[in-house]
Amino acid sequence: MRSDDKLIKDCLSGNKQAQYELYQRFSGVLFGICLRYARNRAEAEDLLQDAFIKIFSRLDSFGFKGSFEGWLRRLVVNLAINFRRDYLKQFFVNTEAGLPDAEAAEASDASDMTFIPREKLLQMIQSLPDGYRMVFNMYVFENLSHHQIAELLEISENTSKTQLMKARKRLRLMVEAELAMNKISVKS
Amino acid sequence: MKDKRNKIDDLFREGLGKLNQAPPPDLWERIDASLPSIPPARKTPLIPRRFLQTGASAAIIAGAFILWFILSKSNQESSQTETIPIQEQASGTTSTTTGHTPGLYPDQNVKIAESYIGSTDKNNRANDIAEKAAKASDKNHDIQPNSKAASGEIRPLSGAADSTNNNYPDPGAEKQTTYQTGLAGLRLDFTNWLITLPAGQIYQENFLSFNAGLRKTPNPLRSKRGAIPLIGGVYASRDMIYYGTGHHKQSRTAGFSLSTFKGPWEFETGVAFNISDDNGKFDVNFSSFDSIGYYNKVVSFSPDPQIPGRVIFNTVMEGVYDSVGHKVETKTANRYTYLQIPLMAGYRIYADRLFTISLKAGPVFSVLLASDEPPVIFSREGAILQSIDNQTPVRASTNWQIAAALGAGMHITRSLTLQLEPTYRSYLRPVYQHHRNSPYSIGLKAGLLYRF
């Protein structure tokens, strides 16, 4: 099996086999990111397709410094953000009302959370409105601060916080519904 | 500070943080089909490309210089070894001699050669030589009456013809071998072969196609006294511009030139119109109403008659449609018109009545006159256009190039010259604003020059 560096060099020389190997090696983890950012599976596939086209066209800009997988992840996340950024702007307007209790509301207990399958969790995230999903992903999975999210999405920090709060609230409802459903099934 | 204790965040982070799902099997085929055919990445050469180009140019220049040097040297040698047909005026016999021939009578030969070299007028020279040869012939008669060269014949180098009757040399005749090395030797062999042919035959066989009256005309490069020589011309050229990162496009140029020269130095300017092709790049964002999945809709429920307390839900599958965003990169064909003003200086490295070869170099100033950038026309059934982002880099309005060319000219008549000029240009600045790569171009220019 080729090392990452060797694989990149082979891809740069136009080797189709190496390109396919790179795709095989990283498509799983990158598709996971796409699924989280996309509304559905079809959109995630489109996103992954765009991502790999961009990866192969910009591979020469990877300077062989740091983790290649990290570079790929950043590229896909940026692509996902740009994919919806302009479209999202209209949804971020005037959503700052009701901010004061944003963080406090999160403290409510969800101690009863039991194991929920990944597929269900993914469905829940995908069912969020675009703005909520984008901010939640960036905050939770990319570990970005509200300041960074605000800069990337060209929104205010407060909007970012509000979006996160609403995303959590909606997710909590869905989790609780899922748990209730399980209880019904179990009890019945 | 982030709320690390948030249970919802933790739940999703743990559940989906390392989500790894295989994409559908046909996705690679779609990606592969969308991938541009990537040319093999340029390996860093041992010698940078620019050095190679400079080296090649230097080799051409050096080759041309060597050619010029050899030709001039050969001409010198030929003036020393040229065979002179001597027509004996008094007796009506003709004899042939050579300056280098270690003939039977060296004293006479030296005198003949000296008189020939010293003379400028060919006819006078021939007459002088003829007279001296006649005298020498008389002496020969006195000295060696039994000699075969009694009629003044001095044997030429091996293979020389008997010019009296234009016959080829007698194979049985005594041959004199002269050993020469290198080009001088070749030259001598050629001379020896040449003199075996009668003069009229040589002209008919070898120079008919080039004759066209040119050999009797004055050198077209020789300027008239007191006048500045002016040469006007029209030309067209086709170039390939290399923008870097594998992007290259054609350009076409047509223009007028005005040039003059002083000695071997040439100066050229003019005006030209250039049309360069390039691509416009657009990101087209659109949405289409696509099926995004389904859900199970509960239409009724009832208690399970078999298990008390259990509820049975009756569901139907409902499709879900939504507007799905797409992004497509589109290219258009752009065309840019430039006005170019070259200021070239050149050095003529070779010239005769038919051909000239010159090396030229100099700056070329170009101004963008017009841009033809057609917009993207988007049309897709059932799709709603969201936005079109123009990613086409903006072109700089002016630029400077350094051009180098090897000009070859063939004189058709005294005034008309056919010109062919391979040209290399290096742009001093990028053609796109906010870009770093300066392109270069390679092209071929063809034109017609008229000497006023």
Side-chain angles (χ1 to χ4, degrees), chain A residues 12 16 39-40 118 143 168, chain B residues 2 9 15 32 41 292 323:
Chain A
L12 284 171
K16 285 276 178 194
R39 286 178 185 170
N40 51 58
R118 277 184 173 179
N143 286 319
R168 282 171 176 163
Chain B
K2 288 189 177 183
D9 290 5
D32 194 31
I292 59 169
S323 175

Side-chain angles (χ1 to χ4, degrees), chain B residues 57-79:
Chain B
S57 306
I60 291 169
I61 294 167
F65 178 76
I66 289 167
L67 186 70
W68 167 76
F69 180 75
I70 288 167
L71 284 172
S72 61
K73 195 171 181 186
S74 297
N75 286 338
Q76 259 187 342
E77 284 170 1
S78 72
S79 69

Side-chain angles (χ1 to χ4, degrees), chain A residues 111-178:
Chain A
S111 56
D112 211 12
M113 288 176 192
T114 52
F115 176 76
I116 299 174
R118 277 184 173 179
E119 288 70 27
K120 283 282 177 192
L121 291 175
L122 192 59
Q123 278 178 9
M124 290 174 192
I125 282 197
Q126 287 180 343
S127 69
L128 288 173
D130 290 337
Y132 297 3
R133 186 176 61 251
M134 191 69 72
V135 173
F136 185 80
N137 265 311
M138 293 167 82
Y139 186 87
V140 174
F141 296 103
E142 317 313 333
N143 286 319
L144 297 174
S145 67
H146 284 298
H147 179 70
Q148 290 169 315
I149 294 169
E151 276 191 351
L152 283 169
L153 296 178
E154 297 172 8
I155 56 175
S156 71
E157 280 189 50
N158 281 341
T159 303
S160 172
K161 286 175 185 171
T162 312
Q163 296 285 317
L164 180 67
M165 180 202 72
K166 289 182 176 176
R168 282 171 176 163
K169 193 174 179 181
R170 194 168 285 202
L171 287 171
R172 187 181 304 107
L173 287 173
M174 283 191 264
V175 168
E176 284 169 0
E178 181 66 26

Side-chain angles (χ1 to χ4, degrees), chain B residues 39-309:
Chain B
R42 222 178 278 163
K43 290 177 182 174
T44 310
L46 289 174
I47 305 167
R49 192 173 179 162
R50 298 236 166 182
F51 283 144
L52 279 177
Q53 287 165 347
T54 310
S57 306
I60 291 169
I61 294 167
F65 178 76
I66 289 167
L67 186 70
W68 167 76
F69 180 75
I70 288 167
L71 284 172
S72 61
K73 195 171 181 186
S74 297
N75 286 338
Q76 259 187 342
E77 284 170 1
S78 72
S79 69
Q80 293 169 359
T81 59
E82 191 170 351
T83 303
I84 308 155
I86 300 170
Q87 291 177 345
E88 199 167 316
Q89 293 171 344
S91 62
T93 57
T94 307
S95 64
T96 304
T97 186
T98 174
H100 270 296
T101 305
L104 299 170
Y105 317 106
D107 292 343
Q108 288 82 354
N109 290 339
V110 168
K111 283 177 186 173
I112 291 168
E114 282 173 358
S115 66
Y116 165 62
I117 294 164
S119 175
T120 53
D121 185 319
K122 209 166 186 177
N123 293 329
N124 295 338
R125 192 165 61 208
N127 291 335
D128 291 347
I129 292 165
E131 284 173 17
K132 292 190 177 183
K135 287 176 186 173
S137 173
D138 293 339
K139 286 181 183 177
N140 291 342
H141 281 294
D142 297 342
I143 296 167
Q144 201 168 355
N146 294 329
S147 169
K148 199 178 178 181
S151 61
E153 175 187 336
I154 298 172
R155 272 177 289 176
L157 292 176
S158 59
D162 181 355
S163 58
T164 307
N165 53 12
N166 285 342
N167 285 334
Y168 289 95
D170 178 8
E174 187 185 342
K175 289 185 180 178
Q176 188 166 357
T177 307
T178 304
Y179 294 99
Q180 301 263 357
T181 55
L183 285 164
L186 284 173
R187 170 77 186 177
L188 205 56
D189 288 346
F190 175 69
T191 308
N192 293 339
W193 170 79
L194 202 63
I195 59 175
T196 64
L197 297 175
Q201 190 180 346
I202 292 169
Y203 268 87
Q204 281 170 8
E205 286 183 358
N206 300 303
F207 297 107
L208 196 62
S209 58
F210 293 118
N211 197 356
L214 287 172
R215 293 180 67 83
K216 292 176 183 172
T217 61
N219 188 342
L221 294 169
R222 191 173 295 160
S223 59
K224 295 170 190 171
R225 283 184 186 175
I228 299 171
L230 274 181
I231 299 170
V234 289
Y235 63 86
S237 74
R238 201 171 178 86
D239 299 72
M240 187 65 81
I241 304 175
Y242 296 86
Y243 293 96
T245 62
H247 178 51
H248 54 86
K249 286 285 168 188
Q250 284 190 350
S251 82
R252 299 165 294 284
T253 308
F256 303 96
S257 68
L258 188 67
S259 56
T260 184
F261 59 87
K262 187 170 178 63
W265 295 98
E266 298 176 348
F267 306 95
E268 182 183 318
T269 183
V271 62
F273 290 93
N274 169 273
I275 295 174
S276 296
D277 295 334
D278 205 352
N279 287 127
K281 292 176 189 167
F282 295 87
D283 284 344
V284 179
N285 299 301
F286 65 93
S287 59
S288 53
F289 207 61
D290 299 335
S291 168
I292 59 169
Y294 65 91
Y295 70 97
N296 292 319
K297 185 180 177 183
V298 178
V299 291
S300 63
F301 63 91
S302 58
D304 189 341
Q306 294 177 350
I307 305 170

